[in-house]
Structures are given as structure tokens and as C-alpha cells.
Amino acid sequence: MQAAAHGVDPNRIIFTDVAHKDLHIRRSGLADVFLDTPLCNAHTTGCDVLWGGCPMVTLPMERMASRVAASLAYASGLGPEMVVNSQQEYEDRAVLLGTNRILREQLRARLEAVRLACPLFDTEGWVRDLEKVYFRMWDIHLEGKGPRSFEVR
């Protein structure tokens, strides 16, 4: 195994099968760090690992599928700690979080502290905002002037 050749204990690398959602989220929190894939980011899995308190490292690219995890990280309030701007920074951050237990535990504690209040997991707030959008769309429709861009605050 290549990991062992690089000084990583093979017992620390665990491959798992599909599991029920509650078990999946619990075991997501057991990882030291989640390394997102740059070309096609974590979507639901990214939410799951952040909910489980696991820090992630993500490198947003050009396409939407490669930018999702960065949006998740920023919506958690901890984007600057988890979103990087280059392949070198990705590697450096991954190594830093993988080798610095104190920093990793501090980031994990911050994730767990904001979990119930951050926009990423504020489902009720998201629904309220979506309802505002629907009402605004209906008002625009009633004006009879056709579709247009708008912002909801």
C-alpha cells in the first residue's frame, strides 16, 4: 500500500460500504479531515461530513460541480479555513490539518459550535427565504410585465 510507504499507518485508512444515513453521518465525524475532489466536489456528502464535525479541504475550480463544497464551507462560516486557491495550497492545508491535531480539533470544535446556527443547516430560514421568492414571483406575475431579476432580503 502506498500510504505505508509514505509513513501512514494503513490501519488509519478505512474503506466502507454504503450505510444507513444515521450511521453514515456518525462515521463521517470519525475522519480526521475530508479531502474533497476538485473536479467534482462533494455535495450531500460534504453536508454530511460538515454536520458530523469533520473539517474539509476543497479547491473550487471553474464549473459549478467543482464549486459546491466551497459554498458549503462558506455557508458553515468556516470557509477561509477550508477553501484553498491552488493545488499547492490544497496539499499544504491537507498536510497541516492531517498532522496538526490541535488545529484540527479546534476547527472541529468550531464546526460543532456553529452547526445549529449557520446558514448551511438553517432549514427553516432557507424555507422562509424560498417562500419569499415564491411570493415575489407571484407578485411579478400579477403585474403582467413578464419575468425579471429580483432580490429578496
Side-chain angles (χ1 to χ4, degrees):
M1 178 180 251
Q2 283 193 4
H6 292 281
V8 176
D9 179 356
N11 292 321
R12 293 190 66 206
I13 300 174
I14 301 169
F15 295 93
T16 63
D17 202 355
V18 176
H20 288 283
K21 187 70 167 181
D22 60 334
L23 176 59
H24 168 69
I25 290 173
R26 282 197 318 268
R27 72 182 180 192
S28 295
L30 298 175
D32 289 337
V33 64
F34 178 83
L35 300 177
D36 188 36
T37 55
L39 293 179
C40 186
N41 286 178
H43 289 65
T44 304
T45 302
C47 289
D48 293 344
V49 298
L50 292 173
W51 179 262
C54 181
M56 90 166 46
V57 178
T58 186
L59 172 61
M61 305 292 273
E62 293 297 319
R63 301 192 184 275
M64 185 280 295
S66 69
R67 302 185 67 77
V68 174
S71 295
L72 300 175
Y74 279 108
S76 76
L78 300 173
E81 291 86 346
M82 297 187 285
V83 180
V84 298
N85 297 307
S86 70
Q87 188 66 39
Q88 185 61 54
E89 193 179 350
Y90 181 94
E91 185 177 326
D92 293 346
R93 186 75 49 90
V95 170
L96 177 65
L97 288 174
T99 58
N100 187 324
R101 184 179 55 81
I102 293 171
L103 179 63
R104 190 173 58 244
E105 288 175 357
Q106 288 171 342
L107 187 53
R108 180 180 297 277
R110 289 177 56 210
L111 272 171
E112 291 173 358
V114 301
R115 182 172 65 181
L116 296 177
C118 70
L120 180 58
F121 299 114
D122 182 8
T123 304
E124 289 179 10
W126 188 87
V127 169
R128 279 191 309 274
D129 289 344
L130 183 60
E131 288 172 340
K132 290 177 190 176
V133 168
Y134 288 152
F135 283 120
R136 184 67 186 122
M137 289 168 59
W138 182 249
D139 290 341
I140 290 171
H141 168 73
L142 292 178
E143 292 171 3
K145 297 180 183 176
R148 68 173 188 269
S149 297
F150 64 92
E151 290 185 29
V152 176
R153 299 192 195 284

